Amino acid sequence: MKYRRLIIYVVLSILVLSIYGFVIRDSSSGKHTGNGSGQSIIKNKGSDTMVNLAQAWAEIYSGVSDTVSVEVSGGGSGTGVAALINGTVDIANCSRQIKPKEKEEATKNTGKEPIEFIVGYDALAVYVHKDNPLNKITIPQLADIYGEEGTITRWDNLGIANSGCRSDKIIRISRQSNSGTYFYFREALLGKDRDFELGSLDLHGSKDVVEVIGRTHCAIGYSGMGYATDHVKMLEVATTYDQPYYAPNLENVIAKTYPIARPLYMYSLGEPTGEAKAYLDWILSDEGQKIVEKLGFVPLTSN
Amino acid sequence: MKFIQILFSFNGRINRSGWWLLNLPIFTIFAISAVTFDFPATKLLEQIHLLILLVLALAHITISAKRWQDKNRSALWLLLHIVPLICSVSIIAVNLFSGLWVLIHFITVINGLWTVIELGLVKGTEGSNQYGPDSETSSEAVIDVYISICGISSIIFVFGIFFFVFKEGASFLFGGLDIWEFLTSEEWYPTSLQNQRYGTFALILGTFSVTVLAMLLAVPFGLGAAIYVSEFCSPKLRETFKIVIEFLAAIPSVVWGFIGLTLMNQLIIQVFNVPIGLTMLNGGIMLALMSVPIIVSIAEDALKAVPDSYREAAEAMGATRWQIIYRVLLPAAKNGLLAAVLLGAARSIGETMAVLMATGHSVNIPSGPLSWIRTLTATIAAELGEVARGGEHYQVLFIIGILLFSITFVVNLIADLVIKGIRQS
């Protein structure tokens, strides 16, 4: 008898929940399309590089406007663009530019063209172990380290004696081959015609790259400049050997002298209107840009 | 026949427990669908989903009709809760949330609760009525149907998963992919701008080598531990051991990966004097640690299943303990032991997160336990998140999924044949 009563309670709650589920689902999608009343929701999804930034924006924006709540999720630039193509998000975050094919598909699928906003910059720092005597490097040298049939395979080739690395072989740390970071770094080094040499360690996150380099005397790698720790060293970079070297820092990136900094993008479907427009405007304002700087990225202009 | 009679026919009667047993899963599925309806899915998935919901709704209606008849009332009583429900759903669908409509909603909910009480709690008429004999005799048939649905659904799930993985990759698999190159080339350049190459040879070798290494480490330890636990332990110690071993199995794979990335990495650097410890050896050790608990618990069960009379007979013949194990127990339990090893191997092949973090994830033809490798599973895990849906690269990742399916299928098939062969001889 006891159990029967328990079962009845469970079933009743499932029934009630399912009815609620239908109501909540429909009412929330109602808000989404603007039919309902109360809070409206901006759905924001994409790049893992930007997910912390997007979350910080969303959190602080909830204090700025109490009629809007921003739902942020990560999953990668590709995931964000895919959601944009399916029309299931309002704003997609992307650490690479959208591809023409994806743009075409989105236009075909939803009838609206994705509109691009640059919301900040991410400087990719070149990292080595902190005991590595190397202090600066040029883009062509990096291309020879990472590129297919590159000629630099030993620290010796760079003219330094890396005593911590017994084998003297350079261990290349890279990212999985379709992350926005990987795309950008490859294009900055090699242009569009060449590929990276296989055999690098393709780690699965900006943090892992720095973590592994901090433990490996022979390693070189790239990651966002906000990820630096005490165990690694950021190199100064020059476009060619006769150009000046620049350290990855705010001034150099804003002045556009540091050569490997990339824009961070947000895409909306069609010209943004209403709440989405207000949100994007706020992100581009001084207040939104301050948050960019706080999270280790580079704002559009210096304040 | 019984199947259709119970799920989709308006004839006959059904008792209260039968109504609950069949309706609970239906309610649950509806509740889940209500919450996850927004989930982005393909057109086909959506249609299949709707079809399933329709079939379930039909089943619910006929089951409830039989319940009314059980109370010697016409099935037309069903209209009492179906009509308001349809009203209510259509109200939600067009977003009317005011005044009268909310009242109608409210009535529907009350009505629904009343129906549940009426159908789920009130006993049917005793003895036979105009719709059939006493329903208390129908329990057996309902449970029969319920159990067979559970069995069939597992088959449907397996085929469903295979179908969807296959469907995602099919158009590129049959249109454009050079399968020979896919299997034998080591050039994995899925995102090259000029010349995409999809060669998985290095990845296949990576998966195999790390699995073999893991098995070399895990099988002796696993079987040894199983023999110790089953034959040498005191009963009290055995319980403790089993709990500890099961605890080992409960550690999530990402934690193993983290241990590989930090602790084991450092250890391998120091012991083997190599520049970096993210190697096949690292991944192999992690996989071995993950598959040992599986091997131990299944092998221990297999050894325990050998009848004690075997042990007694051997002991009576004057065999030593080692001879009993080596000559009697191991041959008698060999099917179970083989199953243990193969399940351990399947765990290793399918493992993703730990190998992604611990093996270096580098496209290399492995040259020894200290080389960096990349596995098939880790490739899917690392690249699927950022790939453009529906593109070539996306499809290739699904084709790798098909490849993994086939590898596991072949392993299982071989295991089946071997076990059958052993049984016959």
Side-chain angles (χ1 to χ4, degrees):
Chain A
M1 270 331 269
K2 250 191 321 193
Y3 289 109
R4 189 162 289 180
R5 180 173 283 177
L6 183 71
I7 289 169
I8 291 163
Y9 278 127
V10 169
V11 173
L12 285 186
S13 47
I14 287 175
L15 262 181
V16 171
L17 276 180
S18 63
I19 290 168
Y20 265 106
F22 268 112
V23 172
I24 288 166
R25 164 177 80 80
D26 284 288
S27 55
S28 72
S29 60
K31 278 172 208 158
H32 182 53
T33 52
N35 289 345
S37 57
Q39 269 210 329
S40 58
I41 292 173
I42 298 175
K43 288 187 183 164
N44 181 206
K45 186 175 187 156
S47 164
D48 278 329
T49 310
M50 291 168 68
V51 72
N52 288 339
L53 177 61
Q55 239 144 23
W57 272 328
E59 231 162 79
I60 294 167
Y61 193 67
S62 69
V64 173
S65 160
D66 46 357
T67 56
V68 181
S69 98
V70 185
E71 278 177 8
V72 178
S73 50
S77 299
T79 315
V81 175
L84 197 70
I85 290 171
N86 291 334
T88 53
V89 292
D90 300 296
I91 299 172
N93 305 333
C94 220
S95 62
R96 58 169 168 82
Q97 206 162 17
I98 194 169
K99 291 172 195 156
K101 207 174 135 198
E102 291 169 335
K103 203 168 189 170
E104 208 176 285
E105 229 172 295
T107 317
K108 204 176 73 190
N109 230 14
T110 62
K112 292 183 213 152
E113 200 177 331
I115 306 289
E116 176 179 302
F117 295 87
I118 294 177
V119 294
Y121 294 95
D122 179 23
L124 286 186
V126 179
Y127 289 99
V128 293
H129 191 270
K130 69 170 189 313
D131 295 338
N132 195 319
L134 191 68
N135 283 319
K136 42 195 175 182
I137 199 158
T138 65
I139 297 281
Q141 280 175 331
L142 280 171
D144 262 343
I145 292 171
Y146 276 99
E148 252 182 321
E149 283 141 32
T151 50
I152 301 179
T153 58
R154 313 177 74 83
W155 291 104
D156 191 32
N157 298 142
L158 288 167
I160 57 152
N162 186 356
S163 56
C165 176
R166 211 165 291 109
S167 67
D168 207 42
K169 248 180 84 181
I170 298 177
I171 294 180
R172 292 164 287 136
I173 311 283
S174 183
R175 291 289 309 280
Q176 79 270 20
S177 63
N178 52 355
S179 77
T181 314
Y182 173 95
F183 270 110
Y184 175 70
F185 194 66
R186 187 179 64 189
E187 198 176 327
L189 261 47
L190 305 171
K192 300 196 175 200
D193 305 330
R194 279 173 69 195
D195 285 307
F196 279 176
E197 178 80 18
L198 291 176
S200 55
L201 273 74
D202 307 332
L203 302 185
H204 194 234
S206 306
K207 236 187 217 129
D208 284 3
V209 170
V210 179
E211 157 83 27
V212 169
I213 294 170
R215 291 168 187 275
T216 314
H217 285 275
C218 300
I220 188 169
Y222 57 91
S223 187
M225 85 180 186
Y227 290 94
T229 64
D230 294 343
H231 304 287
V232 294
K233 180 159 73 178
M234 295 194 270
L235 300 181
E236 292 176 17
V237 183
T239 40
T240 55
Y241 72 95
D242 49 4
Q243 298 285 316
Y245 290 84
Y246 293 100
N249 56 34
L250 281 189
E251 298 87 66
N252 288 341
V253 176
I254 292 171
K256 305 220 156 112
T257 49
Y258 182 71
I260 30 183
R262 58 173 171 167
L264 300 171
Y265 301 92
M266 279 183 150
Y267 289 93
S268 72
L269 271 178
E271 276 299 335
T273 53
E275 301 291 5
K277 180 176 164 45
Y279 185 52
L280 281 165
D281 285 345
W282 176 80
I283 285 174
L284 297 172
S285 73
D286 282 352
E287 204 179 334
Q289 291 295 306
K290 247 182 226 144
I291 300 163
V292 176
E293 188 176 338
K294 210 157 83 193
L295 284 169
F297 296 101
V298 181
L300 296 170
T301 51
S302 58
N303 297 309
Chain B
M1 209 46 230
K2 202 160 48 181
F3 206 80
I4 292 170
Q5 158 68 24
I6 284 175
L7 285 183
F8 301 111
S9 150
F10 284 95
N11 297 324
R13 301 169 56 181
I14 210 164
N15 62 7
R16 289 171 295 176
S17 56
W19 189 83
W20 282 116
L21 196 60
L22 295 172
N23 269 322
L24 270 183
I26 295 179
F27 289 155
T28 317
I29 291 172
F30 265 91
I32 294 170
S33 321
V35 178
T36 59
F37 209 76
D38 262 350
F39 211 75
T42 59
K43 268 269 144 51
L44 183 69
L45 254 180
E46 230 159 57
Q47 282 162 357
I48 290 177
H49 183 200
L50 267 179
L51 187 73
I52 292 173
L53 290 190
L54 275 178
V55 171
L56 289 179
L58 184 66
H60 169 69
I61 288 171
T62 53
I63 292 163
S64 300
K66 284 195 283 279
R67 197 70 250 291
W68 282 114
Q69 287 166 2
D70 188 30
K71 284 137 61 85
N72 206 8
R73 289 187 189 147
S74 152
L76 288 175
W77 279 77
L78 272 176
L79 296 178
L80 250 183
H81 77 285
I82 288 175
V83 171
L85 193 68
I86 289 173
C87 277
S88 185
V89 168
S90 38
I91 291 166
I92 299 174
V94 293
N95 266 315
L96 290 168
F97 284 104
S98 57
L100 184 63
W101 300 112
V102 173
L103 187 69
I104 293 183
H105 244 332
F106 190 66
I107 292 172
T108 317
V109 173
I110 299 291
N111 186 21
L113 293 183
W114 170 69
T115 322
V116 169
I117 292 167
E118 188 81 350
L119 292 181
L121 302 183
V122 181
K123 219 170 172 231
T125 50
E126 286 204 20
S128 55
N129 63 19
Q130 55 171 315
Y131 298 102
D134 194 329
S135 64
E136 292 309 315
T137 56
S138 69
S139 292
E140 193 87 0
V142 171
I143 290 172
D144 234 27
V145 167
Y146 183 72
I147 303 264
S148 46
I149 290 175
C150 293
I152 293 167
S153 65
S154 70
I155 296 174
I156 291 175
F157 286 139
V158 168
F159 277 96
I161 291 168
F162 186 76
F163 172 75
F164 279 105
V165 171
F166 195 78
K167 196 184 123 300
E168 291 295 325
S171 73
F172 189 52
L173 180 59
F174 298 117
L177 182 70
D178 181 347
I179 293 179
W180 181 247
E181 194 199 304
F182 176 72
L183 291 175
T184 59
S185 156
E186 56 191 272
E187 300 210 320
W188 177 252
Y189 282 109
T191 58
S192 167
L193 294 169
Q194 294 304 313
N195 176 18
Q196 288 94 340
R197 281 150 286 172
Y198 305 106
T200 57
F201 188 58
L203 313 183
I204 294 172
L205 278 187
T207 291
F208 272 109
S209 57
V210 80
T211 305
V212 167
L213 183 65
M215 285 301 105
L216 286 180
L217 296 170
V219 169
F221 275 104
L223 293 187
I227 291 170
Y228 175 71
V229 171
S230 122
E231 303 301 318
F232 292 88
C233 255
S234 68
K236 216 176 186 179
L237 201 56
R238 175 181 307 148
E239 286 315 307
T240 323
F241 264 119
K242 284 176 97 168
I243 290 169
V244 172
I245 286 166
E246 266 151 38
F247 183 70
L248 202 62
I251 299 175
S253 69
V254 67
V255 173
W256 286 120
F258 188 70
I259 293 172
L261 190 65
T262 54
L263 203 75
M264 193 55 76
N265 180 16
Q266 206 70 329
L267 208 65
I268 290 179
I269 290 173
Q270 273 160 20
V271 172
F272 294 96
N273 210 353
V274 286
I276 195 160
L278 301 177
T279 54
M280 187 208 291
L281 180 65
N282 192 336
I285 292 172
M286 290 304 128
L287 288 181
L289 283 167
M290 291 163 88
S291 47
V292 158
I294 294 175
I295 295 178
V296 173
S297 50
I298 296 174
E300 200 251 355
D301 284 345
L303 289 172
K304 269 272 147 293
V306 177
D308 272 345
S309 56
Y310 282 35
R311 295 186 183 84
E312 284 154 11
E315 215 151 336
M317 305 273 289
T320 64
R321 229 167 175 188
W322 169 241
Q323 282 169 330
I324 294 174
I325 291 163
Y326 186 62
R327 293 290 175 83
V328 178
L329 288 182
L330 290 186
K334 81 187 144 194
N335 280 0
L337 297 181
L338 189 67
V341 170
L342 284 168
L343 278 173
R347 175 88 167 94
S348 304
I349 292 175
E351 176 47 42
T352 305
M353 216 46 222
V355 288
L356 175 58
M357 292 166 83
T359 56
H361 201 58
S362 167
V363 185
N364 255 333
I365 298 289
S367 56
L370 290 174
S371 57
W372 324 317
I373 55 156
R374 191 198 265 210
T375 64
L376 293 165
T377 46
T379 303
I380 297 178
E383 298 186 357
L384 196 59
E386 307 239 10
V387 74
R389 278 303 122 101
E392 273 184 10
H393 184 191
Y394 178 80
Q395 296 192 15
V396 167
L397 292 179
F398 274 90
I399 295 171
I400 292 181
I402 299 172
L403 184 66
L404 276 167
F405 247 127
S406 325
I407 291 172
T408 328
F409 179 72
V410 169
V411 169
N412 284 351
L413 196 70
I414 291 171
D416 257 12
L417 292 177
V418 168
I419 288 171
K420 239 177 228 157
I422 290 171
R423 223 175 261 154
Q424 270 159 9
S425 66

mmCIF file of all heavy atoms in Angstrom, chain A residues 12-35:
data_model
loop_
_atom_site.group_PDB
_atom_site.id
_atom_site.type_symbol
_atom_site.label_atom_id
_atom_site.label_comp_id
_atom_site.label_asym_id
_atom_site.label_seq_id
_atom_site.Cartn_x
_atom_site.Cartn_y
_atom_site.Cartn_z
ATOM 1 N N LEU A 12 1.907 11.443 -10.836
ATOM 2 C CA LEU A 12 1.257 12.745 -10.886
ATOM 3 C C LEU A 12 2.272 13.835 -11.159
ATOM 4 O O LEU A 12 2.036 14.718 -11.975
ATOM 5 C CB LEU A 12 0.539 13.030 -9.552
ATOM 6 C CG LEU A 12 -0.749 12.265 -9.341
ATOM 7 C CD1 LEU A 12 -1.423 12.731 -8.073
ATOM 8 C CD2 LEU A 12 -1.686 12.445 -10.521
ATOM 9 N N SER A 13 3.417 13.727 -10.502
ATOM 10 C CA SER A 13 4.395 14.803 -10.720
ATOM 11 C C SER A 13 4.931 14.750 -12.146
ATOM 12 O O SER A 13 5.177 15.785 -12.753
ATOM 13 C CB SER A 13 5.522 14.746 -9.699
ATOM 14 O OG SER A 13 5.989 13.449 -9.582
ATOM 15 N N ILE A 14 5.087 13.551 -12.702
ATOM 16 C CA ILE A 14 5.548 13.471 -14.092
ATOM 17 C C ILE A 14 4.512 14.130 -15.012
ATOM 18 O O ILE A 14 4.855 14.921 -15.890
ATOM 19 C CB ILE A 14 5.773 12.007 -14.513
ATOM 20 C CG1 ILE A 14 7.029 11.461 -13.851
ATOM 21 C CG2 ILE A 14 5.913 11.896 -16.024
ATOM 22 C CD1 ILE A 14 7.255 10.011 -14.125
ATOM 23 N N LEU A 15 3.244 13.834 -14.759
ATOM 24 C CA LEU A 15 2.186 14.414 -15.593
ATOM 25 C C LEU A 15 2.210 15.930 -15.518
ATOM 26 O O LEU A 15 2.228 16.617 -16.532
ATOM 27 C CB LEU A 15 0.830 13.913 -15.088
ATOM 28 C CG LEU A 15 0.245 12.739 -15.844
ATOM 29 C CD1 LEU A 15 -1.090 12.378 -15.258
ATOM 30 C CD2 LEU A 15 0.102 13.103 -17.306
ATOM 31 N N VAL A 16 2.244 16.425 -14.284
ATOM 32 C CA VAL A 16 2.225 17.869 -14.110
ATOM 33 C C VAL A 16 3.446 18.498 -14.751
ATOM 34 O O VAL A 16 3.359 19.489 -15.471
ATOM 35 C CB VAL A 16 2.166 18.221 -12.607
ATOM 36 C CG1 VAL A 16 2.374 19.702 -12.401
ATOM 37 C CG2 VAL A 16 0.827 17.788 -12.035
ATOM 38 N N LEU A 17 4.613 17.824 -14.543
ATOM 39 C CA LEU A 17 5.854 18.343 -15.121
ATOM 40 C C LEU A 17 5.763 18.388 -16.632
ATOM 41 O O LEU A 17 6.208 19.340 -17.259
ATOM 42 C CB LEU A 17 7.040 17.474 -14.707
ATOM 43 C CG LEU A 17 7.631 17.796 -13.350
ATOM 44 C CD1 LEU A 17 8.792 16.876 -13.064
ATOM 45 C CD2 LEU A 17 8.109 19.240 -13.312
ATOM 46 N N SER A 18 5.178 17.343 -17.229
ATOM 47 C CA SER A 18 5.141 17.318 -18.684
ATOM 48 C C SER A 18 4.249 18.436 -19.199
ATOM 49 O O SER A 18 4.560 19.080 -20.196
ATOM 50 C CB SER A 18 4.680 15.961 -19.200
ATOM 51 O OG SER A 18 3.377 15.713 -18.780
ATOM 52 N N ILE A 19 3.161 18.688 -18.487
ATOM 53 C CA ILE A 19 2.303 19.805 -18.904
ATOM 54 C C ILE A 19 3.067 21.119 -18.769
ATOM 55 O O ILE A 19 3.111 21.934 -19.677
ATOM 56 C CB ILE A 19 1.020 19.839 -18.055
ATOM 57 C CG1 ILE A 19 0.144 18.635 -18.434
ATOM 58 C CG2 ILE A 19 0.252 21.131 -18.293
ATOM 59 C CD1 ILE A 19 -0.995 18.386 -17.491
ATOM 60 N N TYR A 20 3.750 21.254 -17.629
ATOM 61 C CA TYR A 20 4.578 22.446 -17.429
ATOM 62 C C TYR A 20 5.616 22.569 -18.522
ATOM 63 O O TYR A 20 5.877 23.645 -19.034
ATOM 64 C CB TYR A 20 5.272 22.401 -16.070
ATOM 65 C CG TYR A 20 4.512 23.132 -15.019
ATOM 66 C CD1 TYR A 20 3.816 22.456 -14.032
ATOM 67 C CD2 TYR A 20 4.473 24.520 -15.022
ATOM 68 C CE1 TYR A 20 3.098 23.125 -13.071
ATOM 69 C CE2 TYR A 20 3.757 25.201 -14.071
ATOM 70 C CZ TYR A 20 3.074 24.498 -13.098
ATOM 71 O OH TYR A 20 2.368 25.182 -12.158
ATOM 72 N N GLY A 21 6.221 21.424 -18.857
ATOM 73 C CA GLY A 21 7.249 21.412 -19.891
ATOM 74 C C GLY A 21 6.705 22.027 -21.170
ATOM 75 O O GLY A 21 7.327 22.910 -21.765
ATOM 76 N N PHE A 22 5.525 21.577 -21.577
ATOM 77 C CA PHE A 22 4.931 22.118 -22.797
ATOM 78 C C PHE A 22 4.705 23.611 -22.661
ATOM 79 O O PHE A 22 5.034 24.394 -23.543
ATOM 80 C CB PHE A 22 3.600 21.423 -23.085
ATOM 81 C CG PHE A 22 3.775 20.230 -23.974
ATOM 82 C CD1 PHE A 22 3.570 18.950 -23.495
ATOM 83 C CD2 PHE A 22 4.168 20.405 -25.296
ATOM 84 C CE1 PHE A 22 3.744 17.860 -24.313
ATOM 85 C CE2 PHE A 22 4.337 19.306 -26.112
ATOM 86 C CZ PHE A 22 4.131 18.033 -25.623
ATOM 87 N N VAL A 23 4.162 24.009 -21.494
ATOM 88 C CA VAL A 23 3.852 25.424 -21.309
ATOM 89 C C VAL A 23 5.132 26.255 -21.359
ATOM 90 O O VAL A 23 5.233 27.238 -22.076
ATOM 91 C CB VAL A 23 3.134 25.638 -19.967
ATOM 92 C CG1 VAL A 23 2.985 27.129 -19.702
ATOM 93 C CG2 VAL A 23 1.776 24.965 -20.006
ATOM 94 N N ILE A 24 6.174 25.792 -20.623
ATOM 95 C CA ILE A 24 7.416 26.561 -20.552
ATOM 96 C C ILE A 24 8.063 26.652 -21.921
ATOM 97 O O ILE A 24 8.476 27.710 -22.367
ATOM 98 C CB ILE A 24 8.389 25.916 -19.546
ATOM 99 C CG1 ILE A 24 7.877 26.144 -18.139
ATOM 100 C CG2 ILE A 24 9.772 26.527 -19.680
ATOM 101 C CD1 ILE A 24 8.564 25.289 -17.118
ATOM 102 N N ARG A 25 8.086 25.515 -22.596
ATOM 103 C CA ARG A 25 8.721 25.493 -23.912
ATOM 104 C C ARG A 25 8.068 26.513 -24.817
ATOM 105 O O ARG A 25 8.711 27.341 -25.440
ATOM 106 C CB ARG A 25 8.600 24.110 -24.528
ATOM 107 C CG ARG A 25 8.879 24.090 -26.010
ATOM 108 C CD ARG A 25 8.823 22.685 -26.538
ATOM 109 N NE ARG A 25 7.461 22.232 -26.770
ATOM 110 C CZ ARG A 25 6.755 22.561 -27.850
ATOM 111 N NH1 ARG A 25 7.278 23.352 -28.761
ATOM 112 N NH2 ARG A 25 5.547 22.111 -28.018
ATOM 113 N N ASP A 26 6.716 26.440 -24.863
ATOM 114 C CA ASP A 26 6.031 27.298 -25.805
ATOM 115 C C ASP A 26 6.096 28.745 -25.394
ATOM 116 O O ASP A 26 6.238 29.620 -26.223
ATOM 117 C CB ASP A 26 4.584 26.842 -25.954
ATOM 118 C CG ASP A 26 4.530 25.597 -26.801
ATOM 119 O OD1 ASP A 26 4.759 25.721 -28.008
ATOM 120 O OD2 ASP A 26 4.332 24.512 -26.252
ATOM 121 N N SER A 27 6.020 28.977 -24.067
ATOM 122 C CA SER A 27 6.039 30.372 -23.674
ATOM 123 C C SER A 27 7.424 30.955 -23.878
ATOM 124 O O SER A 27 7.554 32.105 -24.262
ATOM 125 C CB SER A 27 5.595 30.520 -22.224
ATOM 126 O OG SER A 27 6.387 29.717 -21.406
ATOM 127 N N SER A 28 8.485 30.121 -23.678
ATOM 128 C CA SER A 28 9.824 30.688 -23.862
ATOM 129 C C SER A 28 10.091 30.963 -25.327
ATOM 130 O O SER A 28 10.676 31.962 -25.690
ATOM 131 C CB SER A 28 10.893 29.763 -23.287
ATOM 132 O OG SER A 28 11.043 28.639 -24.094
ATOM 133 N N SER A 29 9.608 30.069 -26.217
ATOM 134 C CA SER A 29 9.834 30.347 -27.628
ATOM 135 C C SER A 29 8.954 31.526 -28.041
ATOM 136 O O SER A 29 9.270 32.252 -28.961
ATOM 137 C CB SER A 29 9.564 29.118 -28.493
ATOM 138 O OG SER A 29 8.233 28.712 -28.331
ATOM 139 N N GLY A 30 7.848 31.709 -27.307
ATOM 140 C CA GLY A 30 7.022 32.874 -27.559
ATOM 141 C C GLY A 30 7.779 34.153 -27.258
ATOM 142 O O GLY A 30 7.779 35.087 -28.046
ATOM 143 N N LYS A 31 8.469 34.151 -26.103
ATOM 144 C CA LYS A 31 9.282 35.319 -25.750
ATOM 145 C C LYS A 31 10.334 35.568 -26.801
ATOM 146 O O LYS A 31 10.586 36.673 -27.203
ATOM 147 C CB LYS A 31 10.012 35.072 -24.429
ATOM 148 C CG LYS A 31 9.187 35.334 -23.192
ATOM 149 C CD LYS A 31 9.971 34.849 -22.009
ATOM 150 C CE LYS A 31 9.066 34.424 -20.885
ATOM 151 N NZ LYS A 31 9.747 33.514 -19.989
ATOM 152 N N HIS A 32 10.931 34.450 -27.214
ATOM 153 C CA HIS A 32 12.022 34.529 -28.158
ATOM 154 C C HIS A 32 11.591 35.264 -29.426
ATOM 155 O O HIS A 32 12.329 36.048 -29.990
ATOM 156 C CB HIS A 32 12.482 33.115 -28.464
ATOM 157 C CG HIS A 32 13.633 33.067 -29.402
ATOM 158 N ND1 HIS A 32 14.780 33.774 -29.180
ATOM 159 C CD2 HIS A 32 13.792 32.415 -30.569
ATOM 160 C CE1 HIS A 32 15.613 33.548 -30.165
ATOM 161 N NE2 HIS A 32 15.031 32.742 -31.022
ATOM 162 N N THR A 33 10.372 34.965 -29.883
ATOM 163 C CA THR A 33 9.913 35.620 -31.093
ATOM 164 C C THR A 33 9.246 36.951 -30.788
ATOM 165 O O THR A 33 8.845 37.653 -31.683
ATOM 166 C CB THR A 33 8.914 34.730 -31.848
ATOM 167 O OG1 THR A 33 7.912 34.331 -30.916
ATOM 168 C CG2 THR A 33 9.585 33.508 -32.412
ATOM 169 N N GLY A 34 9.154 37.279 -29.529
ATOM 170 C CA GLY A 34 8.661 38.600 -29.178
ATOM 171 C C GLY A 34 7.167 38.661 -28.968
ATOM 172 O O GLY A 34 6.620 39.729 -28.774
ATOM 173 N N ASN A 35 6.458 37.513 -28.988
ATOM 174 C CA ASN A 35 5.018 37.539 -28.815
ATOM 175 C C ASN A 35 4.614 37.678 -27.358
ATOM 176 O O ASN A 35 3.581 38.239 -27.037
ATOM 177 C CB ASN A 35 4.373 36.276 -29.380
ATOM 178 C CG ASN A 35 4.436 36.284 -30.890
ATOM 179 O OD1 ASN A 35 4.699 37.318 -31.480
ATOM 180 N ND2 ASN A 35 4.217 35.148 -31.502
#
